[in-house]
């Protein structure tokens, strides 16, 4: 594996753990796709630093379990700010 990919995988995992970030937030921050974030955290990082990979995975699992709630809150917020025409 190329050095820059290993460094990116570690940086992504640290960002997720430090900021309790979602995959979308992380992808936006690093300028990569959501697929790349997943691949880095689940596959590549397990070979480089399994402990960090597990920590990042915990955060992503919590985010995944809460996403339906976040989506509902976002929709509610959207309709609260619409003006009646």
């Amino acid at each position: 594996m190329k050095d820059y990919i290993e460094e990116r995988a570690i940086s992504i995992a640290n960002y997720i753990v430090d900021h309790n970030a979602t995959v979308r937030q992380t992808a936006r921050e690093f300028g990569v796709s959501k697929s790349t974030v997943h691949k880095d955290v689940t596959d590549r990082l397990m070979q480089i630093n399994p402990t960090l990979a597990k920590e990042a995975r915990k955060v992503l699992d919590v985010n995944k379990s809460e996403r339906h709630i976040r989506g509902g809150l976002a929709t509610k917020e959207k309709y609260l700010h619409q003006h009646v025409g």
Side-chain angles (χ1 to χ4, degrees):
M1 192 178 325
K2 304 240 190 234
D3 289 341
Y4 74 93
I5 294 176
E6 289 182 8
E7 290 172 17
R8 183 188 66 210
I10 291 169
S11 297
I12 282 175
N14 282 325
Y15 181 83
I16 289 171
V17 172
D18 294 344
H19 295 91
N20 208 24
T22 63
V23 171
R24 282 179 191 245
Q25 291 167 335
T26 306
R28 199 174 308 120
E29 180 71 23
F30 285 85
V32 296
S33 69
K34 294 185 303 179
S35 301
T36 300
V37 172
H38 271 295
K39 181 86 169 165
D40 281 355
V41 173
T42 56
D43 293 346
R44 296 181 179 125
L45 197 59
M46 282 303 281
Q47 298 169 6
I48 304 164
N49 186 338
T51 306
L52 181 58
K54 288 174 186 164
E55 285 182 49
R57 190 71 212 188
K58 282 182 198 171
V59 174
L60 293 181
D61 287 344
V62 168
N63 289 339
K64 186 175 180 181
S65 71
E66 294 175 349
R67 71 180 171 194
H68 66 285
I69 296 167
R70 289 188 185 130
L73 292 174
T75 303
K76 180 180 177 182
E77 195 68 25
K78 172 185 164 186
Y79 286 108
L80 285 175
H81 288 92
Q82 283 185 347
H83 297 287
V84 177

